[in-house]
Amino acid sequence: FRSIARANEIRAERRFADVRRLANSLIFDIHDSVKDLPGSTPARKLIVERALEYLDSLSQESQGDQSLQRELAVAYERVGLVQGHYLQDSLGDTSGSSVSYQKALKIREQISAKSSDWNDRVALAQAYRLVANQQWALGDHTGALKNITAAVATSETLKNAQPKNLKILQELGSDYEIAGQVQSPAYGGGRTNVDRAQENFRKAVALDEAMLSIDPDDPAIQHGYASDLLHVGNILEGTDKKAALECFTKELKIEEKLHRHSADVRYTRGIAIA
């Protein structure tokens, strides 16, 4: 009987591993191989549906397995991006994307409650931010503010412990940027939050400058700096046009420099906006 039980256990483990590999393959390999093909949207939707079925099945069995939980959180975040992140080439399913991000957040919270690894805390902050971003895009400003506040608090604690860790600084800068957008009247946040929005954008700029002092040649940091200068300029435009112009001019110079070294469409768009 013991040998039969062990054989059944081995078969179950193999099935579990097969489902795990299939889910990852659907999300990361098969989807990416067809996403740029003309007329591939129905196929992409079907891939996402099947991937979610596998992920939801795995999620029921993942308790206590932190390695699998981390995989699942990454997978749900990737599915959310494909479904409907409003700034990406997606399937346009913003509500479905929000649900997937919330599933990832729930898993990240479970991991973080048991883990002492600071990387898990950074991932938790990111999960709060992703949920907040989608809630904001869907018009849920209350939910967005709650989750982005949690993201900022998580990242601030990490920064206090590791003030020169670029991964932590980048996450905190992104958290402040989204916090500013959620509160900015330019992005639907209401006139009463303009001062808090400006404060958050300025904190994001300060973090960009701190990161550039550590790694001045990183294109991602430079582009993030330009984007945050744009946010500050937009806030100042109604009250201090000279200061706003300085922000926009500085933004333009950064994007032009990046464009000289790369044909990345983000930099071309950045120049146009500036």
Side-chain angles (χ1 to χ4, degrees):
F1 288 109
R2 287 182 180 176
S3 62
I4 294 174
R6 179 56 186 155
N8 289 335
E9 184 180 341
I10 291 171
R11 278 195 292 271
E13 289 173 354
R14 285 176 180 167
R15 174 197 164 277
F16 190 66
D18 287 343
V19 172
R20 190 172 179 172
R21 281 193 297 270
L22 182 55
N24 278 321
S25 177
L26 280 169
I27 300 163
F28 297 107
D29 299 328
I30 299 173
H31 172 269
D32 287 356
S33 71
V34 304
K35 69 175 183 177
D36 295 325
L37 296 177
S40 64
T41 298
R44 292 172 67 197
K45 287 182 178 179
L46 183 60
I47 289 168
V48 166
E49 288 173 8
R50 292 293 182 267
L52 282 172
E53 289 176 8
Y54 288 124
L55 292 177
D56 290 344
S57 174
L58 287 170
S59 184
Q60 300 299 317
E61 305 178 52
S62 70
Q63 300 303 317
D65 186 340
Q66 287 200 347
S67 175
L68 175 57
Q69 286 185 310
R70 290 186 184 99
E71 277 187 48
L72 283 169
V74 170
Y76 275 125
E77 288 162 358
R78 177 61 188 277
V79 168
L81 183 68
V82 171
Q83 284 175 291
H85 191 287
Y86 74 103
L87 288 178
Q88 300 289 335
D89 176 19
S90 70
L91 296 172
D93 184 7
T94 310
S95 297
S97 174
S98 181
V99 171
S100 292
Y101 282 144
Q102 287 175 31
K103 288 178 181 178
L105 173 57
K106 184 177 179 180
I107 294 170
R108 295 289 189 194
E109 288 175 329
Q110 292 171 354
I111 295 170
S112 187
K114 298 178 181 178
S115 172
S116 58
D117 188 338
W118 64 267
N119 288 286
D120 287 324
R121 299 291 293 171
V122 174
L124 176 63
Q126 175 186 271
Y128 281 126
R129 171 170 58 82
L130 290 172
V131 170
N133 212 11
Q134 291 303 93
Q135 289 174 321
W136 169 60
L138 289 164
D140 179 8
H141 286 83
T142 300
L145 185 58
K146 175 185 174 182
N147 281 298
I148 200 60
T149 299
V152 168
T154 302
S155 295
E156 277 285 6
T157 300
L158 290 167
K159 174 181 172 287
N160 291 338
Q162 300 185 58
K164 293 190 176 182
N165 185 313
L166 277 175
K167 184 176 180 180
I168 292 170
L169 294 178
Q170 285 176 321
E171 180 55 42
L172 180 56
S174 297
D175 297 341
Y176 275 128
E177 179 185 10
I178 298 302
Q181 289 180 337
V182 169
Q183 295 172 315
S184 171
Y187 300 99
R191 299 300 311 177
T192 58
N193 295 323
V194 64
D195 291 338
R196 280 180 287 177
Q198 185 171 0
E199 180 184 3
N200 283 317
F201 286 140
R202 288 193 181 280
K203 286 180 177 178
V205 166
L207 283 161
D208 294 327
E209 292 170 347
M211 286 188 285
L212 286 171
S213 70
I214 299 170
D215 188 355
D217 299 321
D218 188 312
I221 298 174
Q222 293 178 36
H223 180 62
Y225 186 31
S227 297
D228 290 330
L229 287 169
L230 168 67
H231 294 316
V232 173
N234 283 337
I235 290 283
L236 291 171
E237 201 169 10
T239 57
D240 189 340
K241 285 182 170 53
K242 183 179 179 181
L245 180 59
E246 289 175 359
C247 287
F248 297 144
T249 302
K250 198 169 186 178
E251 174 205 359
L252 177 59
K253 289 179 179 177
I254 294 169
E255 297 288 20
E256 286 177 332
K257 178 183 175 182
L258 289 168
H259 182 63
R260 284 196 294 271
H261 294 91
S262 171
D264 192 314
V265 69
R266 290 176 301 169
Y267 309 145
T268 309
R269 181 175 181 271
I271 290 173
I273 292 172

